């Protein structure tokens, strides 16, 4: 499949793009070694049981009978046959998965999967996602966005804020943590790796995100580099929070400049984070000469303070499998797909569990998992056991937790080996890192890749297991490190 963005260390030159991106979609299929591939965008990972059933139908009737989950909470269908385009579009369209054919590849919206579900939940940013998706699909200018451009909506716990968004929104909480993003509160808007942010009213967040994306398109056109993402803009055309402030003013959105929006999301620190998220991608230093503002911008006299004081209760870890206790007596089940791959039978079991025991919805996560909200507390443990028996990862102690791999052979002709089979053998031997030694970055995700493109690799700090002509090479990837300081050891 088309590669993920390459690992670009700090200080390296941005790429020059002389064509549009080749990201597959639901209507633009990619020819892989194992047949055609479709990538179905699922904004915020939200699916109804009807939509989930349609995806299973497509996998069984048109593909290889499996569904792959991506690191952006989307679904890939592989092994599709020639000439299936019309039937696939019909299945997806009838289920409401293709609201706009012209926008289907740009609906890349990643959101905190447990928003509104756990006992001490931060703001429910799913409203942002629904509204932003509607705005994108109604925008003529948004059709110029790359299929790689990513919106990230973090509910304040810090789980998705560091996952490489081009436009990121982070909800800020009041002291009780009970306000929803739709009803009030504030949000921090960031673009790319700029450490500064703009504080905006929560209800303005979707419109502000679209305005920021449109500001990127303007900067990309001015740069002449064909940039697909904010981080690809050359320094002289870099998009900053101050630049976006002008676009927000033009849209009638009030914003306050926060000089260091990368600081904790509340006055007392993040509500909770991924256990080992690693450093945020990109630099965290402030440009000593950021240039003039795009217009008059308010600067918060105490910009790093959140609207409310007092300790924030810990929210659940949204990357971990298990039972998630809700505030209303209902529980959610969080499971992971081994290497992000589910059989149609496993997928239908998840769908049936959501329909018969849950709220009728499924949430896909960037950790290649699925969350099923709304189960009665008394039923949660039994349903989780049933999912475990079906081969899903339901326990954080599973040896498959935090392991990932690209497609590898035979699905990808560019791969040097069948990395998934090699990883399965390594796990069976009790050594998920080649050579039998412990992971060089304990707790970090471990990702096996069949070639240097490293499709689907994690963000932050991670262990890179790369297939080479001489065997596997193990490195620790730290986005804030120069190439000379990356730790590498051949196996």
């Amino acid at each position: 499949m088309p590669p993920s963005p390459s690992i670009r260390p700090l200080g390296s030159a941005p790429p020059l793009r002389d064509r549009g991106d080749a990201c597959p979609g639901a209507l633009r299929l990619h020819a892989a070694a194992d047949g055609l591939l479709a990538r179905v965008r699922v904004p915020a990972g939200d699916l109804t049981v009807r939509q989930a059933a349609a995806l299973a139908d497509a996998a069984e009737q048109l593909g290889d009978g499996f569904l792959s989950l991506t690191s952006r909470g989307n679904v890939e269908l592989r092994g599709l046959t020639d000439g299936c385009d019309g039937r696939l579009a019909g299945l997806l369209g009838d289920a409401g998965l293709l609201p706009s054919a012209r926008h289907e590849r740009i609906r890349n919206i990643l959101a905190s999967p447990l928003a509104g579900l756990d006992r001490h939940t931060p703001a429910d940013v799913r409203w942002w996602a629904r509204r932003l998706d509607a705005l994108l699909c109604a925008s003529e200018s948004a059709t110029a966005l790359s299929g790689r451009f990513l919106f990230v909506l973090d509910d304040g716990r810090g789980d998705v804020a560091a996952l490489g968004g081009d436009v990121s929104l982070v909800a800020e909480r009041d002291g009780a943590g009970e306000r929803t993003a739709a009803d009030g509160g504030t949000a921090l808007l960031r673009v790319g790796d700029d450490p500064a942010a703009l504080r905006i009213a929560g209800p303005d967040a979707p419109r502000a995100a679209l305005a920021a994306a449109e500001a990127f398109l303007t900067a990309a056109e001015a740069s002449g580099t064909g940039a697909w993402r904010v981080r690809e803009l050359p320094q002289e055309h870099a998009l900053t929070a101050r630049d976006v402030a002008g676009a927000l003013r033009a849209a009638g959105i009030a914003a306050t400049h926060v000089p260091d929006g990368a600081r904790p999301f509340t006055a007392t620190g993040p509500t909770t984070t991924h256990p080992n998220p690693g450093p945020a991608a990109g630099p965290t230093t402030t440009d000593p000469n950021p240039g003039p503002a795009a217009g008059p911008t308010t600067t918060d006299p105490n910009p790093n303070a959140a609207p409310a004081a007092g300790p924030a209760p810990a929210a659940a870890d949204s990357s971990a499998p298990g039972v998630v206790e809700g505030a209303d007596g209902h529980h959610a089940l969080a499971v992971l797909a081994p290497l992000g791959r589910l059989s149609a039978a496993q997928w239908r079991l998840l769908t049936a569990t959501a329909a018969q025991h849950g709220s009728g919805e499924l949430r896909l996560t960037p950790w290649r998992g699925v969350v099923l909200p709304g189960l009665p507390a008394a039923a949660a443990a039994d349903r989780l056991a049933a999912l475990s028996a079906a081969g899903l990862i339901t326990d954080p102690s599973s040896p498959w937790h935090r392991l990932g791999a690209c497609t590898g052979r035979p699905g990808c002709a560019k791969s040097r080996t069948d990395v998934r089979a090699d990883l399965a053998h390594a796990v069976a031997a009790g050594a998920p890192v080649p050579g039998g030694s412990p992971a060089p970055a304990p707790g970090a995700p471990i990702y096996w890749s069949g070639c240097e493109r490293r499709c689907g690799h994690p963000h932050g700090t991670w262990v890179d297991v790369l297939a080479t002509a001489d065997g596997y090479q193990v490195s620790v990837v730290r986005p804030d490190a120069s190439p000379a300081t990356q730790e590498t050891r051949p196996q």
Side-chain angles (χ1 to χ4, degrees):
M1 72 177 64
S4 299
S6 61
I7 305 169
R8 184 159 65 91
L10 296 182
S12 60
L16 296 177
R17 307 291 193 186
D18 58 1
R19 59 174 176 79
D21 75 277
C23 273
L27 301 179
R28 187 168 84 180
L29 307 186
H30 169 70
D34 58 350
L36 297 176
L37 177 152
R39 183 176 299 157
V40 183
R41 267 59 174 194
V42 184
D46 287 345
L47 288 170
T48 64
V49 292
R50 178 168 173 257
Q51 291 172 333
L55 288 168
D57 290 343
E60 290 180 323
Q61 297 173 20
L62 307 175
D64 62 4
F66 287 82
L67 301 95
S68 297
L69 307 184
T70 78
S71 61
R72 291 186 170 190
N74 295 319
V75 174
E76 286 184 350
L77 304 173
R78 302 188 67 94
L80 298 170
T81 55
D82 289 336
C84 74
D85 314 44
R87 290 182 62 195
L88 178 62
L91 280 171
L92 301 179
D94 289 345
L97 289 166
L98 290 175
S100 172
R102 298 184 63 217
H103 297 83
E104 62 102 1
R105 292 192 319 115
I106 66 153
R107 301 168 66 223
N108 296 301
I109 303 174
L110 189 59
S112 296
L114 295 186
L117 296 183
D118 51 325
R119 186 181 297 277
H120 300 298
T121 186
D124 185 358
V125 298
R126 319 297 288 193
W127 176 86
W128 288 352
R130 292 189 293 272
R131 181 60 182 148
L132 175 57
D133 186 36
L135 291 172
L136 282 172
C137 290
S139 169
E140 179 64 30
S141 61
T143 60
L145 290 172
S146 158
R148 301 185 189 275
F149 195 91
L150 178 63
F151 297 91
V152 167
L153 314 182
D154 193 293
D155 67 1
R157 77 186 69 215
D159 58 349
V160 297
L163 296 186
D166 293 284
V167 175
S168 299
L169 294 168
V170 179
E172 295 185 300
R173 301 171 55 183
D174 62 13
E178 295 178 348
R179 265 168 114 180
T180 68
D183 294 336
T186 57
L188 295 179
L189 183 150
R190 294 184 60 199
V191 287
D193 296 326
D194 185 5
L198 298 173
R199 177 167 287 132
I200 57 178
D204 288 335
R207 286 198 305 130
L210 177 59
E214 291 171 338
F216 160 75
L217 291 173
T218 299
E221 182 178 9
S223 74
T225 63
W228 296 342
R229 307 197 62 188
V230 170
R231 292 166 184 82
E232 295 180 355
L233 292 169
Q235 184 61 39
E236 60 271 23
H237 292 280
L239 186 66
T240 68
R242 288 192 180 277
D243 299 324
V244 174
L248 297 192
R249 280 194 306 276
I253 301 171
T256 300
H257 187 262
V258 182
D260 191 354
R263 290 189 180 277
F265 307 135
T266 68
T268 55
T271 56
T272 194
T273 61
H274 188 293
N276 185 25
T284 56
T285 56
T286 302
D287 186 344
N289 183 25
T297 303
T298 302
T299 299
D300 192 331
N302 186 18
N304 295 320
D317 173 12
S318 57
S319 71
V323 176
V324 180
E325 297 184 1
D328 60 356
H330 286 84
H331 290 179
L333 302 183
V335 300
L336 301 175
L339 300 184
R341 190 93 160 136
L342 294 170
S343 68
Q346 290 172 319
W347 183 266
R348 289 195 187 280
L349 176 60
L350 288 164
T351 303
T353 302
Q356 298 168 17
H357 303 281
S359 62
E361 63 175 311
L362 300 84
R363 296 185 181 184
L364 310 183
T365 81
W367 300 282
R368 296 179 169 88
V370 181
V371 174
L372 305 179
L375 278 79
D382 287 346
R383 292 304 95 208
L384 191 69
L387 295 174
S388 177
L392 298 171
I393 301 170
T394 61
D395 189 329
S397 65
S398 167
W400 291 98
H401 188 209
R402 303 198 192 290
L403 291 183
C406 70
T407 296
R409 290 186 178 178
C412 178
K414 296 184 181 297
S415 179
R416 296 186 176 94
T417 183
D418 186 343
V419 291
R420 291 175 175 242
D422 292 347
L423 175 52
H425 290 311
V427 171
V433 175
S437 58
I446 300 171
Y447 198 80
W448 289 50
S449 301
C451 74
E452 287 77 8
R453 301 189 311 166
R454 299 175 173 87
C455 295
H457 66 77
H459 290 272
T461 295
W462 52 283
V463 179
D464 176 34
V465 182
L466 175 66
T468 71
D470 299 319
Y472 282 100
Q473 175 180 289
V474 180
S475 305
V476 178
V477 176
R478 292 186 172 91
D480 59 345
S482 66
T485 60
Q486 300 286 358
E487 304 170 20
T488 302
R489 50 192 179 101
Q491 301 295 332

